[in-house]
Amino acid sequence: MKSRPTFFIVALLTAMSLSYCKGPANLSYRNISGFYKPDRQLAGLSYALFNLNDSITNLYVRIPMEGLRYLPDSGAGKSRFRLNYQLFDGYEKGVLIDSASIEGVDSLKGKTIYIDSVPIHALAGNDYVLSIELLDLNAGINYGAFLSLYRKQAYNVHDFLLLDASGLPLMRNFLNKNEKVRIRSNRLSDSLQFKFFPEKYLPASPPFGFPDNMAEQVADSVFGIEFRDGVTSFIAMPGEGRYLLYGGGSPVMVVHRFYDGFPDIGSIIQMRESLRYISTDAEYGEMSLLPPRAAIDEFWIKLTGHSERALAQIRRYYGRVEEANRFFSLSREGWKSDRGMIYIVYGPPNLVYRNAATEQWTYGEAGNPLSLRFLFNLESLPDNQAEYFLIRSETYRTPWHMSVSNWRR
């Protein structure tokens, strides 16, 4: 799907004149639960960051125009939208570094996407947090996101950018089967190495169990890449696993090859594997002895007792698996992460607060002692990635079994 020309009006505003900033400057006080609610998402809306030089970072935005509301105007439909961003020096301090508001009107026919870049003033030597909001002005709906912008280390993930076959930013950290990409660098010439790790992560353990083993893994293979005029030739990732790009002696970028079809459910085997959270050990063992399709059908019909109810539960459960893949895929498939596990079983949280080191989820009302809370720590992995890990506790055993039982009624 190709981008098309759009009539775009740009107005850069100072921090004092921004009217859209309704939340507190301290980002850790903002409830971002809407980030994880499917009905608050614009399918296909995505962003990418690239450090162009020592003072400018490009924010790339991909807007699926078919997701916006078009209203009649002189016989032709028009959409109206506004992109706002604020750059802060961190979650807690709330010092505004840069901001802008960009408005656009689209009156062309046909369903396609709009891709553009916005320059952000961010000096090297510090890391930042970018608060973004896209407003569909006709529909009165806004879509928010927080992005971490890394500029502290000499080599980091935002010094590189994945490009698709047409040369546009890919705006995701995973590749599909047989997909070829190029990598852009802010250095004109360079020689770096990719290390391939074929190991796959297991699904997360229950919230009262033992945490993940984060032991360092051994690379299966290594291959070099060359940057000429700031870009590589086309690269393909042939096997499923993780591809770590090394620069300056440490990993600076990760590219995943998850299962085919990701982030959607890619196969019957994936459907069976993702039942791990609501099946018993005995049930899961029995399913592994049956053909995948028969195992899945038998599991759901036995659980629900009715084929129509089974179909409703299947749609609900696997819908959450796919949403977890879209929301939480960092170092692994999103549904296998701790946040993905909690999301699948409990659904979208009512309250979410994030700071530089943690993310707290609440199911229920703020201040209510009966509300269920989960705290996730952002921890560094041996391969220089980061992942949110749940602080596990025995107190979760009863509410976990109650929630799983609701799926099994």
Side-chain angles (χ1 to χ4, degrees), residues 153-226:
Q153 292 182 328
Y155 269 107
N156 69 74
V157 64
H158 293 141
D159 292 334
F160 304 92
L161 185 68
L162 284 175
L163 304 176
D164 64 18
S166 61
L168 296 174
L170 192 64
M171 298 193 187
R172 49 181 161 88
N173 69 343
F174 64 91
L175 303 184
N176 299 313
K177 186 178 181 179
N178 299 324
E179 185 175 22
K180 292 185 178 182
V181 296
R182 293 187 295 172
I183 304 176
R184 182 183 175 187
S185 171
N186 54 21
R187 295 166 175 81
L188 291 180
S189 61
D190 214 342
S191 296
L192 302 180
Q193 283 187 331
F194 262 115
K195 292 185 179 181
F196 171 57
F197 298 82
E199 293 87 357
K200 297 183 179 180
Y201 290 102
L202 296 174
S205 60
F208 51 85
F210 293 100
D212 236 357
N213 181 359
M214 297 185 293
E216 189 168 2
Q217 297 172 320
V218 178
D220 183 75
S221 61
V222 178
F223 62 93
I225 59 172
E226 298 286 337

Side-chain angles (χ1 to χ4, degrees), residues 76-307:
K78 278 190 176 181
S79 68
R80 297 169 53 246
F81 54 95
R82 180 186 301 137
L83 179 72
N84 303 313
Y85 78 78
Q86 290 179 303
L87 183 70
F88 293 94
D89 66 343
Y91 282 97
E92 293 85 1
K93 295 179 182 179
V95 177
L96 187 62
I97 307 298
D98 188 26
S99 60
S101 182
I102 304 165
E103 293 194 4
V105 177
D106 176 41
S107 60
L108 299 182
K109 297 180 180 180
K111 296 182 178 180
T112 185
I113 60 174
Y114 177 81
I115 298 177
D116 203 356
S117 63
V118 181
I120 297 175
H121 297 275
L123 294 177
N126 296 287
D127 292 337
Y128 305 91
V129 178
L130 190 64
S131 175
I132 308 176
E133 184 181 49
L134 177 70
L135 294 93
D136 183 341
L137 298 175
N138 288 342
I141 301 174
N142 66 77
Y143 308 95
F146 285 168
L147 303 179
S148 295
L149 170 56
Y150 300 109
R151 304 228 56 178
K152 198 169 187 178
Q153 292 182 328
Y155 269 107
N156 69 74
V157 64
H158 293 141
D159 292 334
F160 304 92
L161 185 68
L162 284 175
L163 304 176
D164 64 18
S166 61
L168 296 174
L170 192 64
M171 298 193 187
R172 49 181 161 88
N173 69 343
F174 64 91
L175 303 184
N176 299 313
K177 186 178 181 179
N178 299 324
E179 185 175 22
K180 292 185 178 182
V181 296
R182 293 187 295 172
I183 304 176
R184 182 183 175 187
S185 171
N186 54 21
R187 295 166 175 81
L188 291 180
S189 61
D190 214 342
S191 296
L192 302 180
Q193 283 187 331
F194 262 115
K195 292 185 179 181
F196 171 57
F197 298 82
E199 293 87 357
K200 297 183 179 180
Y201 290 102
L202 296 174
S205 60
F208 51 85
F210 293 100
D212 236 357
N213 181 359
M214 297 185 293
E216 189 168 2
Q217 297 172 320
V218 178
D220 183 75
S221 61
V222 178
F223 62 93
I225 59 172
E226 298 286 337
F227 291 89
R228 295 180 180 178
D229 296 325
V231 69
T232 66
S233 57
F234 282 104
I235 302 170
M237 309 300 184
E240 293 183 10
R242 295 173 298 135
Y243 294 81
L244 298 181
L245 181 64
Y246 278 73
S250 62
V252 294
M253 182 185 193
V254 60
V255 180
H256 293 280
R257 262 289 317 277
F258 296 123
Y259 61 80
D260 294 337
F262 185 89
D264 296 333
I265 297 294
S267 66
I268 299 298
I269 294 176
Q270 290 296 329
M271 294 179 71
R272 181 177 62 184
E273 185 182 5
S274 59
L275 288 174
R276 195 66 189 92
Y277 297 139
I278 60 172
S279 61
T280 65
D281 290 341
E283 289 170 338
Y284 196 75
E286 291 174 3
M287 282 191 287
S288 65
L289 301 176
L290 297 174
R293 171 60 73 180
I296 293 169
D297 291 345
E298 182 175 319
F299 174 83
W300 284 108
I301 292 176
K302 184 182 294 185
L303 238 60
T304 61
H306 195 281
S307 58

Side-chain angles (χ1 to χ4, degrees), residues 51-69:
N51 295 330
L52 193 63
N53 52 45
D54 289 342
S55 60
I56 300 295
T57 295
N58 275 350
L59 166 65
Y60 294 92
V61 56
R62 179 187 188 275
I63 303 175
M65 303 305 293
E66 68 270 22
L68 302 180
R69 179 175 296 179

